[in-house]
Amino acid sequence: MILNKKYFYIYFSLFFVSYSFSQETHVITKDSTKTEHLDDIIVTATRTIRQLSSLPLPAQIISKEDIKQSNTIRLNDILNEQTGLITVPDFGGGEGIQLQGLDSQYTLILIDGVPLIGRSAGTLDLGRITVGNIKQIEIVKGASSSLYGSDALGGVINIITETIKKGFKGHVNYRLGSFGNHDLSSTIHYKKQKLGMSAFFNRYSSDGYDLNKSDDLKTVDPFGNYTLNAKITYDFSGATKLFISNKYYNQNQDYVASSELKGESDINEWNTHLKLSHTYNKKWRSYFEFYTTQYKAKDYLDNEDGTRFSDSYYNQLLIRPEIRATYNPNDKNAFIGGLGFNHESLNRTYFSLKPVFNSPYLYLQYDGTPTKRLNIILGARFDNHNKYKSQLSPKAAIRYKLNDKLSLKSSIGYGFKAPDFRQLYFDFSNTTVGYTVLGYNTVTTAIPVLQSQGQIANMTIPISDFEGTLNPENSIGINLGIDYNLSSRLKFGLNFFRNKINDLIDTRVIANKTNGQNVFSYYNVNKVYTQGLEFNTAWRPTNRFKISGGYQLLFAKDTDAEKAFENGNVFARERPNTPTFQLKKQDYFGLYNRSRHMANLKVFYKIPKWHLDTNIRGTYRSEYGMLDTNGNTYLDKYDDFVNGYSIIDFAINKTFYKNYGLGFGIDNLLNFTDTQNISNIAGRIIYGKLNIHF
């Protein structure tokens, strides 16, 4: 019944679009004036201004227009609609991004080119980022450590906020939706002569929602947060310019663990970003950048009688100065180089000390166009570190234009992910269950203490194995792409990718405790890969109508698991109490929480004489496995899978008197929910929106 309903909506939508388009072509056989479709500009891929269409790297841009028309309010919502991207919830309730099958911890998230922090469990929650002041979102896929260092093993997502506009301008937006969702944002711009200022405010709150009515707990507890962002620009001259940005974020949320344990969680985040640029001549330009940010989170639980049951806290600080320069000897060649220093510290519950990471780095990149058809990018970055082995991250990319319609591009890069504070310094013992988790660097001091207390029955891994260092995870990422532009209005793109990760950090049992539980720690062991293809297309037959779509085919597997299946060492049973049988290599599905197929389709339509625009957007995710259900520790085709699903969103907007707008929409039109496996999809959301510009 659900599938029939789903197809009905899809067929209806396509019929509506086809009918509208046919009606338009009958009235207007040809646009009276052709609109120039200028190439989108991207800066993230090379840290210089580049045309997206000429880039030899797999990248895409989400424009402000698309964000505005879709009525999206949070970053995770808009990223879910992009090819090869899916947000997945973690155990703490946050949503991280999965890119080309790689976990969220391998994708670097930037705002205006500087990183966000606060990965308390490896995941950076994208739901805390509003899109109210976003100019565009730039996504670069593939290893990008050659420019951005650690955390860019799989790619980079850079949120570019609005630039300050001349004169005095601003807008106010308010959206009211299901589940008590309220989103209010306002921006004010002022720029005259040399001085520019802007201020942005956002307030977002929700009553939360409950997918499981059988208990007293909510899937997401009520919360409220606000974001403040102030910017100042000052042009000392045409050659020297100053940029200062300050951002503050706060969230307070109910924290209910059971009917007896209730409390609150609180997040405070701030950052300051200063950039001074100077142009010496047509060839040389330099930048000095200083960035500092702090992320603090704390929560507590109280018993029914008001006594404190638990407290936890997380306090991370990052300070980063950087100097970089660009050199353009001529129109065909460009160089960019930089030198910087990261100082990072973390103070949190279950740490025996306050660790500090210091890592100076330098990078250099060449971007050349030897001929009109050929573009080459070569770059490398060196990261030194006080706690792990230094890393050299090279990258090469090439694009060759066969003709005016067809181009080939290829890139290969090395990416790395440094061990995080938790993997090195965690010292946690669960008082209820009785197990212990130790960071790699904590084992040699914590185990003797547990032994002296009589808690260790035997060691399964000798302590001597922890006298070295935990290596960074590293990857070789390869992308091969084809761009085919049939015309300025119809474009196709195909990209083949493979990411091979070595020294994957995993957990293992290092000791058995006398209470029957275990001691766990981290180690380098697995080798995994993700590979597949991505297909994207965009068609704009008229200036009123745009349709785009994408598809990803993904294979994500553990090479050790593949060998175990190939050697006949893995067994399963189809049902409980039935005999086990040997599995074959083709029975191995792959890594958990990865779908073999993902697709999206988006249709945008404008009616200028009515000052109205509307769109319908759909995404599909095929089945995936969350855990091993037949006891062989691997995900095979005989395990239980989460069924595939589709999400369809609809929006319509109308402008009145140029400066006023009303919007209406339905997210998750088919009201899809999965009460057992998917906690970040609440159900159907109906909303209305008001926009005022001045």
Side-chain angles (χ1 to χ4, degrees):
M1 185 67 181
I2 293 176
L3 288 177
N4 292 336
K5 196 176 184 181
K6 177 184 72 176
Y7 289 133
F8 169 80
Y9 277 110
I10 293 174
Y11 293 148
F12 175 81
S13 303
L14 292 177
F15 171 79
F16 171 78
V17 171
S18 301
Y19 176 79
S20 300
F21 175 60
S22 65
Q23 290 296 100
E24 180 183 345
T25 54
H26 277 87
V27 176
I28 304 174
T29 57
K30 201 169 186 179
D31 289 339
S32 57
T33 57
K34 286 188 177 181
T35 301
E36 283 294 321
H37 295 283
L38 301 177
D39 288 329
D40 292 324
I41 299 298
I42 186 171
V43 298
T44 307
T46 61
R47 301 193 78 165
T48 58
I49 297 176
R50 282 293 306 264
Q51 289 184 342
L52 179 66
S53 61
S54 68
L55 199 66
L57 303 169
Q60 67 186 93
I61 289 176
I62 306 172
S63 69
K64 181 177 181 62
E65 182 183 22
D66 285 352
I67 297 173
K68 180 181 177 181
Q69 291 181 10
S70 64
N71 291 334
T72 305
I73 55 176
R74 311 307 285 184
L75 180 64
N76 51 315
D77 295 329
I78 194 69
L79 291 182
N80 264 323
E81 299 179 358
Q82 313 308 313
T83 304
L85 301 183
I86 185 74
T87 61
V88 293
D90 65 7
F91 68 89
E95 287 187 62
I97 193 72
Q98 190 184 102
L99 184 153
Q100 290 189 343
L102 296 173
D103 278 336
S104 61
Q105 60 184 320
Y106 303 122
T107 299
L108 182 64
I109 308 297
L110 308 171
I111 292 186
D112 291 328
V114 289
L116 290 175
I117 61 173
R119 299 172 181 262
S120 57
T123 298
L124 194 148
D125 180 21
L126 302 179
R128 78 186 204 226
I129 303 172
T130 176
V131 300
N133 64 334
I134 290 180
K135 176 183 177 182
Q136 68 182 38
I137 302 170
E138 302 179 354
I139 303 167
V140 180
K141 299 177 180 179
S144 302
S145 294
S146 61
L147 282 176
Y148 295 101
S150 181
D151 297 339
L153 181 149
V156 176
I157 297 176
N158 191 9
I159 299 105
I160 310 295
T161 59
E162 289 182 333
T163 54
I164 300 176
K165 300 175 178 61
K166 291 183 178 180
F168 180 79
K169 298 179 180 180
H171 61 78
V172 177
N173 299 322
Y174 174 68
R175 174 174 142 163
L176 170 65
S178 305
F179 306 107
N181 289 348
H182 299 265
D183 185 88
L184 173 66
S185 64
S186 177
T187 302
I188 296 176
H189 296 274
Y190 173 77
K191 187 173 184 179
K192 185 176 182 181
Q193 297 179 346
K194 297 182 177 182
L195 179 66
M197 297 182 292
S198 72
F200 170 77
F201 168 82
N202 175 260
R203 169 67 178 174
Y204 178 52
S205 63
S206 172
D207 292 340
Y209 55 88
D210 187 11
L211 297 176
N212 185 1
K213 307 296 183 181
S214 63
D215 57 30
D216 297 329
L217 304 179
K218 280 194 170 186
T219 305
V220 171
D221 290 316
F223 66 87
N225 61 53
Y226 59 86
T227 303
L228 298 170
N229 186 203
K231 294 181 183 179
I232 297 176
T233 61
Y234 188 79
D235 301 338
F236 293 98
S237 65
T240 306
K241 299 181 179 182
L242 175 68
F243 167 87
I244 301 175
S245 172
N246 288 278
K247 177 177 175 288
Y248 179 75
Y249 171 85
N250 172 265
Q251 175 171 290
N252 183 266
Q253 184 171 22
D254 291 349
Y255 180 21
V256 181
S258 69
S259 57
E260 294 82 20
L261 297 174
K262 298 180 181 180
E264 290 184 350
S265 65
D266 192 72
I267 296 173
N268 286 279
E269 176 193 12
W270 62 265
N271 64 56
T272 297
H273 183 196
L274 181 150
K275 182 165 62 177
L276 181 66
S277 63
H278 181 72
T279 301
Y280 300 93
N281 49 50
K282 292 182 179 181
K283 297 181 178 181
W284 282 98
R285 190 174 184 180
S286 68
Y287 306 82
F288 170 75
E289 193 170 60
F290 179 82
Y291 176 69
T292 179
T293 180
Q294 185 176 40
Y295 178 91
K296 299 173 67 175
K298 60 181 180 179
D299 60 63
Y300 71 87
L301 285 171
D302 285 345
N303 296 299
E304 285 186 294
D305 60 6
T307 58
R308 187 57 48 94
F309 175 80
S310 68
D311 270 303
S312 67
Y313 58 89
Y314 183 99
N315 187 349
Q316 184 178 3
L317 175 69
L318 171 66
I319 300 174
R320 169 186 290 181
E322 180 179 299
I323 300 173
R324 63 180 181 271
T326 59
Y327 174 59
N328 300 84
N330 50 53
D331 294 337
K332 295 183 177 181
N333 300 283
F335 296 86
I336 182 171
L339 174 68
F341 182 84
N342 286 322
H343 172 82
E344 190 174 3
S345 64
L346 176 63
N347 185 21
R348 68 170 295 181
T349 316
Y350 311 122
F351 273 26
S352 57
L353 49 79
K354 181 181 178 181
V356 174
F357 284 173
N358 290 315
S359 54
Y361 61 87
L362 60 91
Y363 58 88
L364 179 65
Q365 179 181 267
Y366 165 72
D367 186 349
T369 309
T371 69
K372 291 183 178 180
R373 297 181 180 271
L374 182 66
N375 176 224
I376 299 173
I377 294 178
L378 299 172
R381 170 169 164 149
F382 178 77
D383 286 83
N384 192 12
H385 203 281
N386 66 324
K387 296 297 181 182
Y388 63 83
K389 185 179 179 180
S390 299
Q391 298 291 308
L392 178 65
S393 307
K395 186 166 189 173
I398 185 170
R399 181 180 184 272
Y400 187 74
K401 187 176 181 181
L402 295 174
N403 51 52
D404 291 339
K405 295 183 178 180
L406 184 62
S407 299
L408 305 177
K409 58 185 180 182
S410 175
S411 65
I412 181 171
Y414 174 90
F416 78 96
K417 168 70 171 63
D420 60 34
F421 288 112
R422 172 177 48 93
Q423 293 165 337
L424 294 178
Y425 299 105
F426 209 42
D427 188 352
F428 169 75
S429 291
N430 186 288
T431 56
T432 304
V433 180
Y435 65 86
T436 296
V437 182
L438 299 176
Y440 185 92
N441 291 1
T442 310
V443 171
T444 55
T445 55
I447 287 294
V449 174
L450 294 175
Q451 287 174 329
S452 67
Q453 296 171 350
Q455 296 192 43
I456 302 298
N458 64 283
M459 296 293 300
T460 59
I461 303 295
I463 296 181
S464 58
D465 283 10
F466 295 87
E467 293 176 353
T469 58
L470 189 63
N471 295 325
E473 299 170 283
N474 60 87
S475 170
I476 300 295
I478 301 173
N479 286 270
L480 301 172
I482 302 171
D483 290 332
Y484 182 64
N485 298 336
L486 187 62
S487 68
S488 62
R489 295 186 178 273
L490 180 59
K491 300 179 180 181
F492 302 94
L494 182 64
N495 183 60
F496 299 89
F497 63 87
R498 179 177 172 88
N499 300 288
K500 184 180 179 182
I501 304 177
N502 297 312
D503 284 334
L504 185 75
I505 297 175
D506 204 349
T507 57
R508 62 176 170 177
V509 177
I510 66 169
N512 303 126
K513 302 184 74 173
T514 53
N515 62 359
Q517 294 296 321
N518 299 313
V519 179
F520 299 89
S521 189
Y522 301 90
Y523 74 130
N524 298 113
V525 59
N526 292 58
K527 295 182 179 181
V528 304
Y529 67 85
T530 68
Q531 65 183 27
L533 63 86
E534 295 173 341
F535 172 75
N536 286 284
T537 183
W539 180 41
R540 190 189 292 265
T542 73
N543 295 330
R544 301 182 181 185
F545 175 58
K546 179 179 70 172
I547 182 171
S548 63
Y551 166 75
Q552 176 182 268
L553 172 66
L554 174 68
F555 297 91
K557 297 187 176 183
D558 184 322
T559 55
D560 291 336
E562 282 188 314
K563 291 178 182 177
F565 277 82
E566 189 174 4
N567 295 334
N569 298 330
V570 185
F571 297 82
R573 52 170 52 96
E574 290 194 53
R575 294 180 304 276
N577 303 319
T578 60
T580 60
F581 57 92
Q582 189 180 65
L583 296 181
K584 300 177 182 179
K585 183 178 180 180
Q586 57 267 31
D587 293 329
Y588 176 47
F589 186 84
L591 301 180
Y592 297 104
N593 205 7
R594 270 79 171 179
S595 294
R596 187 65 46 85
H597 309 280
M598 291 199 303
N600 65 82
L601 179 66
K602 289 169 278 192
V603 179
F604 290 83
Y605 187 69
K606 296 180 180 179
I607 306 178
K609 66 178 182 179
W610 293 352
H611 304 288
L612 183 144
D613 64 77
T614 185
N615 60 81
I616 188 166
R617 313 176 313 278
T619 59
Y620 170 73
R621 182 182 186 186
S622 68
E623 66 174 8
Y624 58 97
M626 291 295 292
L627 48 87
D628 167 44
T629 57
N630 55 27
N632 58 25
T633 72
Y634 299 107
L635 182 61
D636 59 73
K637 69 178 185 180
Y638 298 100
D639 284 308
D640 295 333
F641 281 75
V642 179
N643 293 329
Y645 62 89
S646 295
I647 301 293
I648 297 178
D649 300 331
F650 167 78
I652 185 169
N653 303 285
K654 179 171 174 53
T655 301
F656 300 89
Y657 307 108
K658 293 184 179 181
N659 293 328
Y660 302 91
L662 291 176
F664 170 80
I666 305 175
D667 290 343
N668 194 3
L669 193 65
L670 305 182
N671 196 28
F672 168 80
T673 57
D674 186 324
T675 60
Q676 295 182 338
N677 303 292
I678 306 174
S679 61
N680 62 324
I681 299 179
R684 183 184 295 117
I685 297 176
I686 302 174
Y687 64 85
K689 190 173 183 179
L690 170 67
N691 304 321
I692 301 174
H693 293 264
F694 56 88

